Amino acid sequence: MATLLRLAGIAVLVTGLAACEPPVGRPAQTAGATGQAPQWAGPVEHEAASFTVLTGGTPIGAVQVTPQENGYAIFYEFRNNGRGPTFNESVILDGHGLPVHWSIEGATTFGNAVDELFHLEDGRAFWRDTTGETGMDVTGRAIYAPQNSSPYSLAITARALMAADGNVLAAIPGGEVRIEEIERLTVSNGSDTREITSWALTGLGLNPTYFLMDGEAFFGVISPSFAVLAEGFEGEDERLRALAAEYGASRFEAIQSRVAHEFDGPVRVRNVRVFDPLAEALGEPVSVVVEGNRIAAIDPLEVPSRAGEVEIDGGGGSLLPGLFEMHAHMGEASAFLNIAAGITSARDMGNNNAVLDQLVDNIEAGRVAGPRLYRSAFIEGRSPFNSNNGVVAESEEEAVQAVHDYADRGGFHQIKIYNSMRPEWIPAVIAAARERGLRVTGHIPAFTNADAMIEAGYDEIVHINQLMLGWVLESDEDTRTLLRLTALQRLPVLDLDSPNVQATIDAMVERGVAIDPTFAIHEQLLLSRNGEVFAGAADYVDHMPVAVQRGARSAMSAINSEEEDAAYRGAFEQIRQMLQIMRERGIAMVPGTDLGGSFAYHRELELYQQIGMEPAEILGWASHGMAEYLGVDGELGRIEPGYLADFFLVPGDPTQDLRDIKTISMVVADGRVYFPSEIYPEFGIRPFTGVPEMRAVE
């Protein structure tokens, strides 16, 4: 299971606006919001008809654009890591280039069916998406923001915004969308040279989308690891992705300059109850003093603040050691949002190595906020279904060499084996890792099972589904595809007391093999349903941008019948019971989300209460327990003099109600002070708490 990056489309908006009304069918040539009859000017003459989808420089799909009467037909598809979206779109535009009809059919990356429809007629908009059917009155010019769409929706949006006052338009279903020019660029494929412009689009989600235009012609969309470029210009991919990284870095450096508080003298956090992860309890009120990036002292409350200190009023709240997100695929935005969530350390489980190198450098230099990162050396085998992270090996020799190359680079504490690695390569790869002092974790490669990987020498298994599928799949079934998710429907009939299940558990206990279950992503995969806010988002969804709210009401998987619905629900219950059994047997677990951490990580921790863990136990496990697991418990995971200053403040008592960790008022990461209420508005999130009082002591 890979990180849930929204490569499938452009993030869009949603809000509950009006009583539901069913959308109507395909329109005749009728008036739009402005009252003018649609008189589309036609396609841009020099715009490409085909665009290549690339990740890390590897072509993985395409966008095909065909002009039709009063608009476009668009086909979008890619496949990465054995999955990807498929969309067929038809859009009709009015004389202002605004959509008056938009239909989108297909499937999302994880198979959820897309049957989206928008129609605007006589000032009334109707739309249907996975959250339901809705309508609203529209006055003036406004543009529909699809829930699921191809990257070409950017072209439609950009041209409408270029013609709008201030490059801003109201968005349907809610909010507004704007574009801002960044810079002019020259691109070439050797025979054709173009002058293009890079733009940033905002208002549709947590972060800007960076895209490219050749005048009014769409040229592409770029991010540090993913790009869609006009056919023939794929050779510009690396340079343009590097530019996207620069744009993001500049944005996040600017945010850092506004929200990171660094002080010349000591910082005293007064009147807090410190959580002791070993005792799993809060202490009496004290003051915690930080100098530089270390905890200098823990003073009784009666000790006065000293001249030159900055005093922060803890208000009697709970001060907890920073948390460890143990299954991250870190990017700049998630790095910032993890800090705001009290996650000051994270284990990256596979990434574009060059992109992650730059992010680590920026975090360590203090240019952007982010957790301390513990990197996994991602190794995949070449196949039609391979992931494109890390190193993709063509042979056992290349896979073994990848281990040595990672070890020579340094900075990696383990290797991670992925789906398309040939099972017969694994013993040699593990032997190389042992030789170089690296742990071994990973998925269960296709056409083998957990028993074989335990025997080969795995230290840890990634994802609970990877373990459990070995008990329900036939030996020739291919888990490089979505089968590794859809086959979970078979779990409800599995006897967890059967000899083959117990033999695997016995082997894990005997050999000390840990599990990285990614509990929260399985909840979302198996229990989210269209039109319902999934349980993990219920406590925060109303604070989020409307695009996130829309996503929180969408299923991840395709649920095509009552029988499938029941099977997926039963599968989650089997997973819950298996994790409870593993806990009772003493198998080590690590909390990680594969969902970006942040709010999802809070839910990850909550879920472990369902297998019998208490809040205080969970907090100690997720902080000191994970520091110990990674071998850094000598300076992380506790709030003690001499330890690194990584901790966070909540007004309530999360040892009694774990949900209190969702309302964090202050985070200290590597000695820098952050107030989440200052960070969240930078991402369009409504804050959850106020900012503690702070004063300089004379």
Side-chain angles (χ1 to χ4, degrees):
M1 197 175 299
T3 179
L4 297 181
L5 300 176
R6 294 281 185 176
L7 303 184
I10 308 303
V12 291
L13 300 175
V14 68
T15 187
L17 294 167
C20 290
E21 297 185 42
V24 297
R26 185 179 180 87
Q29 303 301 309
T30 53
T34 62
Q36 296 181 338
Q39 295 177 348
W40 182 50
V44 179
E45 183 176 345
H46 61 287
E47 186 170 70
S50 182
F51 302 82
T52 302
V53 181
L54 306 105
T55 182
T58 301
I60 58 172
V63 181
Q64 303 288 340
V65 182
T66 305
Q68 61 180 4
E69 184 181 0
N70 293 313
Y72 296 96
I74 307 152
F75 177 74
Y76 173 47
E77 183 175 77
F78 72 74
R79 291 293 179 267
N80 183 46
N81 192 16
R83 59 186 179 234
T86 300
F87 298 152
N88 280 289
E89 302 179 59
S90 177
V91 59
I92 294 176
L93 305 171
D94 70 7
H96 300 289
L98 296 169
V100 293
H101 186 86
W102 202 330
S103 65
I104 307 166
E105 297 179 347
T108 65
T109 295
F110 287 93
N112 191 23
V114 174
D115 183 17
E116 187 168 352
L117 181 66
F118 168 77
H119 178 60
L120 177 64
E121 186 173 4
D122 296 329
R124 184 71 181 168
F126 306 93
W127 65 94
R128 177 185 69 228
D129 59 24
T130 61
T131 69
E133 299 179 346
T134 312
M136 64 179 287
D137 292 326
V138 178
T139 57
R141 297 183 190 178
I143 188 163
Y144 180 63
Q147 181 187 39
N148 292 287
S149 65
S150 71
Y152 194 75
S153 64
L154 280 167
I156 296 166
T157 302
R159 285 192 282 266
L161 287 167
M162 287 175 179
D165 292 340
N167 299 142
V168 180
L169 282 171
I172 303 170
E176 65 178 24
V177 60
R178 67 178 64 236
I179 57 172
E180 181 179 353
E181 183 176 327
I182 303 174
E183 64 176 329
R184 306 291 176 89
L185 304 165
T186 300
V187 294
S188 177
N189 62 8
S191 60
D192 186 7
T193 298
R194 304 279 184 88
E195 301 296 323
I196 65 172
T197 304
S198 58
W199 296 80
L201 180 143
T202 56
L204 298 185
L206 297 174
N207 292 289
T209 298
Y210 301 115
F211 66 99
L212 308 169
M213 299 292 288
D214 180 2
E216 291 192 347
F218 184 59
F219 190 84
V221 57
I222 53 175
S223 76
S225 58
F226 180 80
V228 179
L229 298 177
E231 188 176 52
F233 287 86
E234 294 86 354
E236 290 280 13
D237 168 77
E238 185 174 358
R239 179 171 77 97
L240 294 172
R241 286 190 294 107
L243 284 177
E246 290 179 15
Y247 300 155
S250 295
R251 173 176 183 256
F252 289 108
E253 284 184 40
I255 295 174
Q256 177 80 340
S257 70
R258 292 189 290 269
V259 304
H261 299 270
E262 298 187 69
F263 305 102
D264 293 333
V267 174
R268 180 178 294 268
V269 186
R270 176 172 289 283
N271 189 19
V272 290
R273 300 177 65 197
V274 171
F275 177 71
D276 181 346
L278 301 182
E280 297 178 357
L282 291 170
E284 294 300 314
V286 294
S287 295
V288 175
V289 181
V290 174
E291 293 188 20
N293 69 342
R294 297 274 175 179
I295 298 167
I298 298 179
D299 289 340
L301 202 55
E302 60 268 19
V303 173
S305 298
R306 299 176 176 86
E309 292 181 343
V310 171
E311 182 183 277
I312 298 173
D313 183 6
S318 303
L319 202 68
L320 297 103
L323 302 170
F324 284 69
E325 155 66 295
M326 296 293 282
H327 197 118
H329 298 273
M330 197 64 65
E332 289 168 318
S334 59
F336 243 109
L337 291 173
N338 273 283
I339 288 295
I343 298 161
T344 57
S345 296
R347 188 175 66 161
D348 190 279
M349 295 295 286
N351 220 310
N352 179 304
N353 286 328
V355 172
L356 190 59
D357 286 344
Q358 186 61 54
L359 178 60
V360 170
D361 288 347
N362 286 338
I363 291 172
E364 291 180 350
R367 289 187 290 268
V368 300
R372 302 174 191 277
L373 290 176
Y374 300 88
R375 299 179 64 168
S376 302
F378 191 97
I379 307 175
E380 168 70 309
R382 181 75 65 192
S383 82
F385 308 101
N386 63 262
S387 171
N388 289 285
N389 278 329
V391 174
V392 181
E394 304 273 2
S395 65
E396 178 181 309
E397 291 74 20
E398 286 189 12
V400 169
Q401 186 59 48
V403 175
H404 292 297
D405 290 344
Y406 275 121
D408 290 343
R409 284 186 58 189
F412 297 89
H413 82 105
Q414 64 180 8
I415 66 167
K416 181 183 177 184
I417 292 167
Y418 211 62
N419 297 318
S420 292
M421 289 277 278
R422 299 283 293 272
E424 60 267 28
W425 300 353
I426 304 305
V429 170
I430 292 177
R434 293 283 182 262
E435 178 186 337
R436 302 305 299 270
L438 295 169
R439 296 177 74 256
V440 178
T441 189
H443 287 207
I444 305 301
F447 312 116
T448 187
N449 57 37
D451 293 337
M453 295 302 98
I454 293 167
E455 177 68 26
Y458 268 36
D459 296 298
E460 176 185 296
I461 295 171
V462 176
H463 302 304
I464 189 66
N465 68 313
Q466 295 280 319
L467 173 75
M468 296 182 73
L469 285 174
W471 301 323
V472 296
L473 291 177
E474 299 298 327
S475 60
D476 61 347
E477 290 187 289
D478 193 346
T479 55
R480 296 173 300 179
T481 68
L482 277 178
L483 180 69
R484 66 182 183 268
L485 308 178
T486 59
L488 292 174
Q489 295 177 69
R490 305 178 193 180
L491 289 184
V493 298
L494 176 66
D495 180 3
L496 299 183
D497 292 323
S498 62
N500 61 326
V501 171
Q502 291 304 310
T504 305
I505 300 304
D506 289 345
M508 292 182 71
V509 172
E510 179 182 347
R511 294 173 178 264
V513 178
I515 182 75
D516 171 12
T518 59
F519 207 169
I521 198 172
H522 285 87
E523 179 191 43
Q524 190 169 343
L525 175 76
L526 298 170
L527 300 186
S528 61
R529 298 292 184 270
N530 289 333
E532 303 173 9
V533 175
F534 70 87
D539 288 343
Y540 68 79
V541 65
D542 292 342
H543 289 252
M544 305 303 287
V546 287
V548 179
Q549 294 187 27
R550 202 174 193 175
R553 292 174 169 84
S554 300
M556 185 181 292
S557 303
I559 311 293
N560 297 314
S561 66
E562 291 184 2
E563 290 76 17
E564 285 190 356
D565 178 88
Y568 277 125
R569 294 183 189 279
F572 184 75
E573 173 59 19
Q574 288 283 74
I575 285 171
R576 187 201 66 77
Q577 289 189 34
M578 175 49 57
L579 290 175
Q580 185 167 331
I581 290 169
M582 296 175 86
R583 176 175 181 254
E584 290 168 354
R585 293 293 305 276
I587 292 172
M589 301 182 196
V590 300
T593 67
D594 201 20
L595 285 166
S598 187
F599 302 107
Y601 184 81
H602 295 161
R603 180 59 177 176
E604 176 83 10
L605 297 187
E606 277 188 306
L607 286 171
Y608 286 94
Q609 295 176 109
Q610 296 186 16
I611 67 168
M613 295 179 73
E614 296 295 329
E617 177 188 1
I618 292 169
L619 292 168
W621 167 62
S623 55
H624 180 264
M626 292 305 101
E628 191 172 39
Y629 188 85
L630 292 173
V632 294
D633 52 312
E635 57 181 6
L636 287 171
R638 300 177 67 187
I639 302 174
E640 293 284 347
Y643 273 61
L644 289 164
D646 283 15
F647 52 75
F648 64 101
L649 174 67
V650 298
D653 181 355
T655 66
Q656 299 301 311
D657 188 344
L658 193 59
R659 291 176 299 177
D660 282 349
I661 63 171
K662 299 180 180 182
T663 52
I664 297 172
S665 58
M666 180 190 72
V667 179
V668 176
D670 201 32
R672 297 182 183 89
V673 177
Y674 298 91
F675 302 116
S677 294
E678 296 178 346
I679 293 174
Y680 285 138
E682 302 280 356
F683 295 87
I685 301 171
R686 179 164 53 88
F688 299 84
T689 63
V691 175
E693 291 186 8
M694 181 170 58
R695 70 182 182 94
V697 180
E698 302 294 337

